[in-house]
Amino acid sequence: MQDFKAVQDSQTTLTELMIPSYSNFGGKIHGGIILSLMDKVAYVCAAKHSDGYCITASIDVVDFLAPVEVGDLVSLMASVNYVGNTSMIIGIRVISENLKTQVKKHTNTSYFTMVAIGDDHKPKVVPGLILKSADDVRRFAQSLNRKKLKANYKKDEASIKDDYTDAQCVTLLKGERCQISL
């Protein structure tokens, strides 16, 4: 295993034609198809960086910015934005292209945390990351900030799972679109 690898060494693009069997009831490409493709490209990118098997540990928010149509060519571009000891944050950008009109649209961006797994089925150390461009440096720094936000979010989420009294719940739900019918 190399001690460090450049971002460019593992960058991966997956391109696939969107066929009718991928569509949902509204005639657009099903979001689950896009998520599956995102997971595949994240895996390949992480496996290239770590020289081995990886698992998906978490997926940050996936916003669907624009619909993908049957017949569109979808390209998913992935790169390692950050590495820890055994984990990597893979940034993914999804672009769809109408082949008839050549109109391209950005449909998704997401960040997958992947963990490298060794032959002993335990997390293994991954190579460090060589940052060769201002974009590489920015993405690494943004990933650090995203990790901090995620940690804070987990703390905040844990605090809202505490038991609420009936009175607190009733107060919180005032003005919401619900009826309490106990």
Side-chain angles (χ1 to χ4, degrees), residues 1-12 42-52 54 79-90 114 116 124-130 140:
M1 176 182 81
Q2 297 175 13
D3 288 339
F4 288 84
K5 286 186 176 180
V7 172
Q8 295 76 14
D9 293 341
S10 58
Q11 285 179 324
T12 303
Y43 170 80
V44 172
C45 183
K48 285 169 70 174
H49 185 78
S50 67
D51 297 322
C54 296
S79 67
V80 178
N81 288 359
Y82 169 87
V83 295
N85 288 321
T86 62
S87 66
M88 299 153 278
I89 295 177
I90 311 298
M114 308 295 288
K124 73 172 192 172
V125 175
V126 299
L129 202 56
I130 300 169
F140 199 98

Side-chain angles (χ1 to χ4, degrees), residues 155-170:
K155 245 191 324 189
D156 290 347
E157 186 179 36
S159 73
I160 64 170
K161 289 182 179 178
D162 292 339
D163 291 337
Y164 284 88
T165 66
D166 289 344
Q168 287 173 312
C169 289
V170 169

